[in-house]
Amino acid sequence: ELIKDIESFYHNDQSNLTGSIRRTEYRRNSERLLGWFIEIFDRLAVQLPETAKAFASPWSINDPYHFRELKLRAFSKPNLFKTTFVAAELLGLELHSFWDRETRAELLDVLVKRWSEFSAENQTAIMSRIFTGPTHMDYGMSDDSNFRDRTVAGYVRYLQLKGCKLSADQSNQ
């Protein structure tokens, strides 16, 4: 029923069987499939939250591929995971995973959607993690003295613009 609702269908393209798929085609197909999966998962999270949680639970938050993105999306849904668990998982992210540009939007989305639910202690710990900032190595860039400050400022400003209440000290940093 969920697949019918998004009008998806399977198509076996014979040309892909005989030759290699060009990188751009692979990426486009991968993104389209991921989009369909996300649509189905979002519907599942509403209709059968315990089932959605069971699917999302084994996904690794530190996975370098799509599972980090999917897990972060699942964390943004309050009916799936308890706030204390989400905060602990976010604080337990490996440094390169926390600052991964590929999942920056999903991380910020979780923070914005769940911010008011986090305890003051967890908010402080998350902001401390943000203020520590990435190293240039987390982004694979050459050394840039302003890079960390610009990145941290962007995260903090985004949270402020989205209505996350920060302490006076945090806002001034």
Side-chain angles (χ1 to χ4, degrees):
E1 180 181 330
L2 293 174
I3 293 175
K4 278 194 273 184
D5 287 347
I6 62 170
E7 298 178 5
S8 301
F9 62 93
Y10 175 78
H11 174 70
N12 185 0
D13 183 357
Q14 294 298 320
S15 65
N16 289 343
L17 298 176
T18 58
S20 65
I21 302 172
R22 290 193 327 254
R23 186 173 184 84
T24 55
E25 288 177 26
Y26 172 78
R27 198 173 306 142
R28 186 176 57 233
N29 289 336
S30 174
E31 289 170 2
R32 188 173 64 229
L33 290 173
L34 184 62
W36 288 338
F37 180 84
I38 288 169
E39 285 182 54
I40 292 170
F41 183 80
D42 287 349
R43 296 268 316 271
L44 187 64
V46 170
Q47 294 178 5
L48 298 167
E50 287 302 315
T51 303
K53 181 179 177 180
F55 275 109
S57 290
W59 299 338
S60 172
I61 191 88
N62 285 305
D63 181 81
Y65 301 103
H66 294 300
F67 287 111
R68 180 181 316 130
E69 176 183 353
L70 295 171
K71 186 76 162 217
L72 289 169
R73 289 184 62 87
F75 282 166
S76 72
K77 300 173 186 335
N79 62 329
L80 298 187
F81 293 97
K82 292 182 180 179
T83 307
T84 53
F85 177 77
V86 172
E89 288 286 300
L90 294 178
L91 290 168
L93 272 169
E94 295 170 3
L95 191 60
H96 69 276
S97 296
F98 190 88
W99 293 105
D100 183 2
R101 283 189 278 190
E102 297 295 320
T103 56
R104 176 180 29 208
E106 288 78 14
L107 174 66
L108 289 170
D109 188 51
V110 172
L111 293 175
V112 167
K113 288 182 177 174
R114 306 293 299 262
W115 190 255
S116 63
E117 300 171 30
F118 291 139
S119 68
E121 181 181 307
N122 283 332
Q123 287 179 355
T124 300
I126 290 168
M127 289 308 298
S128 176
R129 182 93 190 256
I130 290 172
F131 285 124
T132 300
T135 65
H136 61 281
M137 297 303 292
D138 295 318
Y139 277 93
M141 300 178 68
S142 62
D143 193 12
D144 178 354
S145 59
N146 294 322
F147 172 75
R148 189 195 72 78
D149 293 340
R150 285 192 317 269
T151 304
V152 168
Y155 274 61
V156 172
R157 187 65 182 144
Y158 183 85
L159 294 174
Q160 289 174 321
L161 290 172
K162 293 296 184 175
C164 296
K165 302 287 187 230
L166 307 180
S167 72
D169 287 343
Q170 292 168 344
S171 293
N172 291 333
Q173 281 188 14

